[in-house]
Amino acid sequence: MALEPNQELGMAEVSDMCGLELAVPTLKENSTNAIAFQVLRSEVNKYRTRNELQNFDPEELHTSLREKLPDLPTTIYDTIEEYVIKLGLSVENWLTEHHKTIFRYHYAHQNYILYDFDEFVGDSAGGIDWGKTAERMMGCDMFSKTKKFKVAGMYCFEDDVRRIWPSVWKKIGLNQIEYHECPQLYYWICRLSNKLRMIPTRRNVSVDEEMFNVCIFGTGTSWEYFWNRLSTREQFIIVDDLSKDSVFTFVELILPKLNDQQLEKFVNGSESGCNLICSLMTNVPHDFNHRDDQCFLQAWMHMKNVMSEDVFTELIAKMWEIESKHYRSYRFKNRWYGWVDQNQYKRICCRFRQVWTSAPHNVTTSVTKNIVPKLRLYNFNRDYSHEPREHDRRNKDPVNSLEFLFTILSDASLKERNSFWCKCWPDLIEGAHFNDLPRIMRMCFENNDQIIQFKENVIAGSEEMKYVCDQLLTYAYFEELNKLVDFCFPNEDSAKHYKQQLLQSMPISSV
């Protein structure tokens, strides 16, 4: 009996965090997966031949791996060991669940299942595909009709359940199983015995909705059966709740099930779509498969083509606000720094670029045109009052700010960039790092003559500029004041004259 990995759809490790394509398994990953299953097959056969399956421990598959694969280079060995460990855990979980539900009254040890069945189907992530493996179990000649009925009930194979029930109903009853042991099997016995009232449900929740809520966080694919039995109203209640409380489960399982109407309602009918993307935006990968990165990209790819201009604008504003909360600007040792968790900040900026560069052009254009009221949300957190405390700087690195803004401007037309600058320059000189201002302005004008003209006619000596200068003077930040005035005036002489006026207007106690 062979154990073989299933190499269909799966998510591989993301090598480039900013890539716009969902990753598919590489040849290396498929090969590694196949080797891990070969190791499992070899171990099972060894113990089965000795009639010692009770001593087989799947979680210890990797302990003697070097002896089984002595010629492998270290770099390849480490990868295979990772997959073997993951497969061992998956097999242990599978044995525990199936022995408890299907075989517990027949064998003393859970590993004895392997005497009858080991036709596992693997998933591309390195574990067991429970649903496809269950389909093979239904064809196993070693299983009695009673065992096959339990498998069919556990996985909600309705046709098989109804086909086998007349042959086993006298042998299987509610006295043999508790609801918590296998809710799906309990459900089918109740349903076929006309005792659905025995299913414990919460108030105002249908049996099908209760069963879905139980199965969605379990193993296998039985949740799909109950999802398809739910009304449209019940489905959308679940969509709203899961997208808030269990984002990975929602993105990986439920989001692909939504029809066009449900998806459009989820994305544009409430704030749920925006909130889901923003929640995923700040998640940090915790495993080598980069599940967080893949979920973020998967969610966005499903939603981007149905998102309205207004909702997309709101999404960008929320993402922008998230970025500003992860970036604080401090004066430290006579310089300004943005102290952040650099990896997290880069990840946030990268995910923003994924959204912006893959969004339909009409919605990005709408954001560019309507960004002025949203810019107020981009709080640059320029703190003039104190230097950062030690715990604010610990394990943090300085990074460049304004990454979101540069991403948006680089995709806009010259006319749009010019319009943006004309409306937003007061916000920028108040909040931006002064070293960034020339770069932004160059992006917004066709040539240097236009830049000089705008400074001369609009910025130099304006009330907006005077307000920022007063702030810098209040805290005696003369270096920043010098940079700001040099930027705002079209030439060195006019800037020097303005600085002299500022010094003359300063109170004596501040000089």
Side-chain angles (χ1 to χ4, degrees), residues 48 51-55 95 99 103 106-117 143 147:
R48 185 166 49 218
N51 202 28
E52 297 177 352
L53 275 174
Q54 71 275 11
N55 298 324
L95 289 171
H99 171 75
F103 301 90
H106 301 277
Y107 298 114
H109 194 281
Q110 67 178 27
N111 289 357
Y112 282 16
I113 300 172
L114 298 173
Y115 281 116
D116 292 340
F117 178 84
F143 285 0
K147 293 176 186 175

Side-chain angles (χ1 to χ4, degrees), residues 39-298:
V39 170
L40 173 61
R41 181 196 310 171
S42 175
E43 287 297 287
V44 171
N45 284 338
K46 181 178 71 175
Y47 282 97
R48 185 166 49 218
T49 300
R50 297 175 181 174
N51 202 28
E52 297 177 352
L53 275 174
Q54 71 275 11
N55 298 324
F56 171 60
D57 186 352
E59 294 188 51
E60 298 297 322
L61 273 177
H62 66 287
T63 54
S64 59
L65 191 58
R66 259 298 176 199
E67 298 176 9
K68 302 181 183 71
L69 305 170
D71 299 326
L72 281 180
T74 300
T75 54
I76 300 177
Y77 172 84
D78 291 343
T79 303
I80 292 174
E81 184 180 36
E82 200 167 32
Y83 272 75
V84 170
I85 291 172
K86 185 171 185 177
L87 178 58
L89 292 173
S90 181
V91 171
E92 175 65 26
N93 292 335
W94 187 93
L95 289 171
T96 301
E97 289 299 314
H98 289 78
H99 171 75
K100 179 175 66 178
T101 302
I102 300 168
F103 301 90
R104 63 180 297 178
Y105 299 107
H106 301 277
Y107 298 114
H109 194 281
Q110 67 178 27
N111 289 357
Y112 282 16
I113 300 172
L114 298 173
Y115 281 116
D116 292 340
F117 178 84
D118 66 359
E119 295 281 342
F120 297 111
V121 179
D123 61 29
S124 59
I128 292 176
D129 187 319
W130 287 37
K132 292 185 177 180
T133 298
E135 293 174 2
R136 289 193 175 181
M137 293 172 75
M138 293 303 299
C140 179
D141 294 335
M142 301 294 290
F143 285 0
S144 66
K145 288 185 177 181
T146 300
K147 293 176 186 175
K148 288 184 178 181
F149 177 83
K150 291 179 178 180
V151 172
M154 184 177 180
Y155 288 88
C156 293
F157 296 158
E158 183 172 11
D159 291 344
D160 292 315
V161 166
R162 293 189 178 278
R163 174 176 56 82
I164 302 173
W165 175 247
S167 303
V168 300
W169 69 273
K170 292 182 180 181
K171 303 176 183 178
I172 299 178
L174 293 179
N175 62 320
Q176 295 185 18
I177 186 172
E178 297 291 337
Y179 175 74
H180 69 272
E181 292 177 336
C182 184
Q184 307 95 302
L185 181 56
Y186 190 90
Y187 163 85
W188 279 110
I189 296 174
C190 287
R191 182 172 170 183
L192 295 171
S193 304
N194 296 316
K195 296 179 180 179
L196 279 178
R197 64 185 181 280
M198 301 293 291
I199 302 291
T201 59
R202 293 163 295 162
R203 186 177 181 181
N204 299 324
V205 174
S206 69
V207 170
D208 290 324
E209 187 175 352
E210 183 69 35
M211 291 302 301
F212 173 86
N213 288 328
V214 170
C215 296
I216 188 64
F217 296 112
T219 50
T221 57
S222 56
W223 65 269
E224 294 186 68
Y225 176 81
F226 295 105
W227 170 263
N228 292 329
R229 289 179 58 84
L230 297 176
S231 67
T232 302
R233 183 189 65 82
E234 289 174 325
Q235 286 181 344
F236 204 79
I237 291 173
I238 287 171
V239 165
D240 196 47
D241 290 341
L242 273 181
S243 66
K244 297 173 183 175
D245 301 331
S246 305
V247 291
F248 290 163
T249 299
F250 174 75
V251 172
E252 293 172 341
L253 302 181
I254 302 302
L255 191 57
K257 291 287 185 182
L258 301 184
N259 59 39
D260 292 343
Q261 185 178 3
Q262 290 173 322
L263 184 61
E264 198 280 333
K265 182 179 179 182
F266 172 74
V267 174
N268 298 320
S270 65
E271 293 188 351
S272 298
C274 280
N275 292 339
L276 174 67
I277 294 294
C278 291
S279 175
L280 289 166
M281 180 182 183
T282 56
N283 279 330
V284 179
H286 295 294
D287 58 40
F288 75 99
N289 282 320
H290 289 265
R291 185 185 182 194
D292 304 67
D293 291 325
Q294 287 291 339
C295 277
F296 175 82
L297 186 55
Q298 184 178 352

